[in-house]
């Protein structure tokens, strides 16, 4: 094979970027320091830099970092207030934590070579299950047995109600599944597509046809990257706004 | 040989699953297009409905992501 | 899985080098099937990920809810309060300015009225003085005129008297010159009669 050496050096699997590996030569158990730890640590550091050091001066006329922090604060605050109502504001720190963690993980995952923590079902499933359990328990605490009224659509004709109740029940339990897979799937899909295009980029080193393929694939990578920047934000936004919607259902199950 | 046939089925299945992504693309386009049509009719009400727009897009898109996931599972995990 | 990839590449091996290279690229896409499929479904990595995720979330939640969010909320409330206060102060200053302007206008109108009053009074005074002076002057003029006419009358009377005297003398002299003896009494009567006529 002519391009054997180049092939071997440049060959990579589009899913390889999602591999979880221990950083040191240890078994991958609970406490092993892995690349997950590394990139989550970067995320936490960035959040602390932005929200603690950035707002340290408490300036009335904000600097750059403080403006961004205030913008994020008001953005999420307004979202919680608009969607969940005034009694949802109590849970604002929780929603804000979710939003900030997801948005930072997504964007840090876009750095070439970085590991995207939110592209893993394990991570997003935990996030979604936390929301699901939190909302369900909160619903029962706040409304008691009335919370089940969420499934009994009183505006529908009586014979339809049991069927609707079944559908509502199923859709309620599908919530965490779709909630988590939407985020992980979006992140994974975008990154995998970029890697697939990247796999075609070095073709110019192997054959003349690469003259046409390589610029195309680099263009495609650039375009996908732009789309990914959009998707990173929108998915964090969607995750958060769905959390707010579920929170609203828990606080006011009547409507 | 049997492995190859299984593989072939898996790849064909993955390709078929990708058609679902086209469906979700139509869905997302529908949501966004109808939102735009409504927003142009009544621009003052549009700003308050962007959250609804994104929720709608997210739901439509989720189904496409599911089919993409099925394709990935067929390709790499079966 | 890897079988297919290898069969694929062995098949293309025989073909031209172009096809070979494409197969190589395609192989990169379908390559490491040796690694067990999707890393997302490798359940062995789940405990590690979940553990570190929980650690990260707890840190973020603690830092945000204990330090960052109260601080940012405080900053925003502060700014909001300050802006409201500033607007209130500006509003107050504005009302003060409006009041001051009103007072100024009031004072201006008062001053104008006063000035008009003073002007009118002065005018009236002057008019009265003028009237008085005019009356005085008129009276004086009338007195002088009366005096003058009296004197003219006197002069006239004097003149008439002296004319009759002169006429008498002249008549006497003429009579005397003509040789007549003129009786003074007759001459006077004749002159008076002539003078009348």
């Amino acid at each position: 094979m002519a391009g054997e050496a180049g092939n071997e050096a440049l060959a990579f699997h589009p899913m390889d970027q999602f591999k979880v590996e221990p950083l040191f030569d240890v078994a991958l158990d609970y406490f092993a320091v892995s690349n997950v730890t590394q990139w989550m640590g970067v995320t936490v550091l960035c959040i602390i830099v932005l929200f603690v050091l950035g707002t340290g001066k408490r300036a009335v006329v904000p600097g750059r970092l403080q403006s961004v922090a205030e913008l994020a604060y008001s953005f999420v605050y307004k979202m919680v207030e608009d969607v969940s109502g005034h009694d949802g504001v109590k849970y604002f720190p929780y929603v804000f934590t979710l939003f900030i963690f997801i948005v930072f993980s997504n964007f840090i995952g876009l750095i070439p070579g970085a590991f995207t923590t939110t592209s893993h079902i394990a991570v997003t499933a935990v996030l979604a299950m936390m929301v699901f359990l939190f909302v369900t328990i909160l619903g029962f605490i706040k409304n008691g047995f009335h919370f089940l009224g969420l499934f009994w659509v009183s505006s529908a004709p009586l014979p339809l109600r049991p069927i609707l109740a079944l559908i509502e029940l199923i859709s309620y339990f599908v919530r965490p599944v779709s909630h988590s897979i939407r985020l992980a799937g979006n992140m994974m899909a975008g990154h995998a597509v970029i890697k697939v295009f990247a796999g075609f980029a070095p073709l110019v080193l192997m054959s003349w046809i690469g003259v046409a393929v390589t610029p195309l694939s680099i263009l495609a990578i650039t375009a996908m990257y732009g789309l990914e920047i959009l998707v990173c934000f929108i998915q964090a936004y969607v995750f958060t706004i769905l959390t707010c919607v579920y929170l609203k259902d828990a606080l006011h199950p009547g409507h | 040989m049997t492995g190859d046939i299984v593989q072939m089925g898996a790849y064909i299945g993955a390709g078929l699953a990708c058609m679902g992504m086209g469906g979700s693309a139509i869905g997302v386009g529908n949501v966004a297009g109808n939102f735009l049509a409504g927003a142009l009719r009544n621009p003052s009400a549009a700003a308050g409905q962007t959250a609804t727009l994104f929720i709608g897009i997210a739901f439509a898109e989720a189904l496409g992501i599911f089919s993409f996931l099925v394709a990935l599972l067929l390709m790499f995990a079966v | 899985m890897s079988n297919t990839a290898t069969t694929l590449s062995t098949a293309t091996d025989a073909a031209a080098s172009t096809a070979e290279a494409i197969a190589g690229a395609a192989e990169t896409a379908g390559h490491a099937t040796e690694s067990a499929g999707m890393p997302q479904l490798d359940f062995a990595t789940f405990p590690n990920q979940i553990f570190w995720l929980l650690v990260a979330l707890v840190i973020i939640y603690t830092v945000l809810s204990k330090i960052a969010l109260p601080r940012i909320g405080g900053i925003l409330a502060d700014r909001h309060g300050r802006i409201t206060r500033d607007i209130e102060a500006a509003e107050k200053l504005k009302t003060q300015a409006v009041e001051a302007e009103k007072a100024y206008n009031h004072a201006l109108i008062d001053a104008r009225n006063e000035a008009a009053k003073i002007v009118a009074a002065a005018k009236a005074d002057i008019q009265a003085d003028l009237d008085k002076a005019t009356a005085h002057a008129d009276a004086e003029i009338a007195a002088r005129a009366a005096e003058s006419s009296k004197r003219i009358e006197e002069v006239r009377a004097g003149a008439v008297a002296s004319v009759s005297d002169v006429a008498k003398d002249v008549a006497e002299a003429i009579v005397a010159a003509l040789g007549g003896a003129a009786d003074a009494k007759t001459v006077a009567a004749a002159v008076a009669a002539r003078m009348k006529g």
Side-chain angles (χ1 to χ4, degrees):
Chain A
M1 228 168 154
E4 182 74 46
N7 258 358
E8 280 309 305
L10 292 166
F12 53 84
H13 189 275
M15 306 304 273
D16 272 357
Q17 56 177 326
F18 303 121
K19 265 191 201 154
V20 178
E21 278 154 347
L23 289 185
F24 309 106
D25 197 15
V26 286
L28 192 67
D29 57 2
Y30 279 93
F31 315 113
V33 178
S34 60
N35 49 359
V36 180
T37 323
Q38 180 194 342
W39 289 105
M40 277 183 184
V42 171
T43 308
V44 171
L45 270 185
C46 288
I47 291 171
I48 288 176
V49 165
L50 177 57
F51 285 97
V52 178
L53 303 185
T55 60
K57 275 188 282 181
R58 298 162 192 260
V60 174
V61 179
R64 276 182 221 171
L65 278 185
Q66 197 185 320
S67 296
V68 173
E70 285 172 11
L71 213 64
Y73 182 96
S74 346
F75 177 71
V76 180
Y77 194 89
K78 200 168 161 292
M79 184 157 52
V80 175
E81 204 175 26
D82 285 355
V83 179
S84 316
H86 283 291
D87 35 358
V89 166
K90 227 189 304 172
Y91 311 102
F92 165 67
Y94 178 69
V95 179
F96 191 70
T97 305
L98 283 179
F99 175 76
I100 286 302
F101 175 74
I102 293 170
V103 92
F104 268 82
S105 300
N106 287 356
F107 276 115
I108 286 170
L110 274 183
I111 299 168
F115 175 81
T116 320
T117 46
T118 38
S119 68
H120 274 260
I121 301 282
V123 171
T124 57
V126 170
L127 293 174
M129 277 313 286
M130 274 164 59
V131 171
F132 180 74
L133 290 177
F134 175 70
V135 159
T136 311
I137 293 169
L138 185 75
F140 276 112
I141 289 175
K142 286 263 166 185
N143 306 293
F145 196 65
H146 274 294
F147 184 59
L148 294 176
L150 190 64
F151 307 113
W152 197 250
V153 188
S154 47
S155 57
L158 193 59
L160 275 179
R161 283 185 204 173
I163 307 167
L164 281 178
L166 189 67
I167 294 174
E168 288 284 322
L169 199 67
I170 292 172
S171 86
Y172 188 79
F173 282 102
V174 167
R175 272 178 183 185
V177 178
S178 70
H179 206 184
S180 62
I181 288 182
R182 180 181 301 116
L183 178 58
N186 265 296
M187 299 320 297
M188 175 175 55
H191 286 71
V193 168
I194 288 179
K195 277 294 160 86
V196 168
F197 283 127
F200 284 102
L203 206 65
V204 74
L205 302 175
M206 303 169 206
S207 137
W208 56 270
I209 206 168
V211 177
V213 172
T214 301
L216 270 181
S217 56
I218 289 173
L219 202 69
I221 292 170
T222 318
M224 277 308 296
Y225 201 88
L227 183 68
E228 275 304 283
I229 289 173
L230 199 69
V231 165
C232 280
F233 179 75
I234 286 182
Q235 287 311 315
Y237 177 71
V238 163
F239 193 97
T240 319
I241 209 159
L242 284 178
T243 306
C244 293
V245 170
Y246 299 161
L247 199 60
K248 188 201 79 185
D249 279 351
L251 295 172
H252 318 280
H255 36 86
Chain B
M1 188 60 196
T2 45
D4 286 351
I5 287 173
V6 167
Q7 206 99 73
M8 186 184 76
Y11 282 144
I12 289 174
L16 287 175
C18 283
M19 286 200 267
M21 288 152 69
S24 107
I26 295 171
V28 172
N30 224 341
V31 172
N34 281 330
F35 176 79
L36 192 62
L40 288 177
R41 263 167 217 266
N42 187 2
S44 55
Q49 295 305 317
T50 39
T52 327
L53 169 73
F54 279 114
I55 294 174
I57 285 182
F59 276 122
E61 194 199 18
L63 301 171
I65 293 291
F66 289 162
S67 63
F68 176 74
L69 204 73
V70 168
L72 277 184
L73 286 174
L74 285 173
M75 276 171 75
F76 298 124
V78 174
Chain C
M1 190 99 183
S2 55
N3 293 345
T4 335
T6 18
T7 6
L8 192 69
S9 37
T10 10
T12 44
D13 257 341
S17 64
T18 315
E20 205 173 275
I22 293 170
E27 198 180 345
T28 49
H31 176 60
T33 19
E34 304 97 31
S35 67
M38 286 168 70
Q40 275 88 349
L41 297 179
D42 185 0
F43 293 99
T45 66
F46 276 27
N48 182 274
Q49 290 192 57
I50 292 170
F51 171 74
W52 288 112
L53 171 68
L54 291 180
V55 169
L57 282 183
V58 166
I59 293 174
I60 294 171
Y61 183 79
T62 320
V63 166
L64 286 183
S65 63
K66 289 278 179 296
I67 303 173
L69 293 183
R71 188 187 284 173
I72 297 175
I75 292 171
L76 289 180
D78 224 37
R79 181 174 308 145
H80 192 256
R82 181 173 287 210
I83 288 171
T84 327
R85 240 184 356 253
D86 284 4
I87 286 175
E88 261 167 24
E91 205 72 33
K92 207 181 279 170
L93 285 178
K94 199 180 163 193
T95 43
Q96 273 176 7
V98 167
E99 252 155 44
E101 201 194 346
K102 214 184 276 170
Y104 170 78
N105 280 341
H106 204 73
L108 203 65
I109 289 168
D110 277 3
R112 223 171 249 162
N113 286 345
E114 194 78 6
K117 225 180 273 169
I118 289 171
V119 165
K123 228 180 229 169
D125 269 9
I126 289 169
Q127 194 63 46
D129 279 0
L130 203 65
D131 284 355
K132 214 188 278 168
T134 315
H136 194 70
D138 279 357
E140 199 138 301
I141 289 168
R144 291 261 179 92
E147 205 173 310
S148 305
S149 59
K150 206 162 83 193
R151 197 169 294 160
I152 291 169
E153 279 307 308
E154 271 173 19
V155 169
R156 187 178 284 163
V160 168
S162 37
V163 162
S164 65
D165 277 356
V166 168
K168 252 184 258 174
D169 286 351
V170 169
E172 264 176 24
I174 293 170
V175 169
L178 288 175
D183 174 6
K185 228 194 250 169
T186 328
V187 170
V191 167
R194 270 290 191 197
M195 292 274 278
K196 260 177 205 152

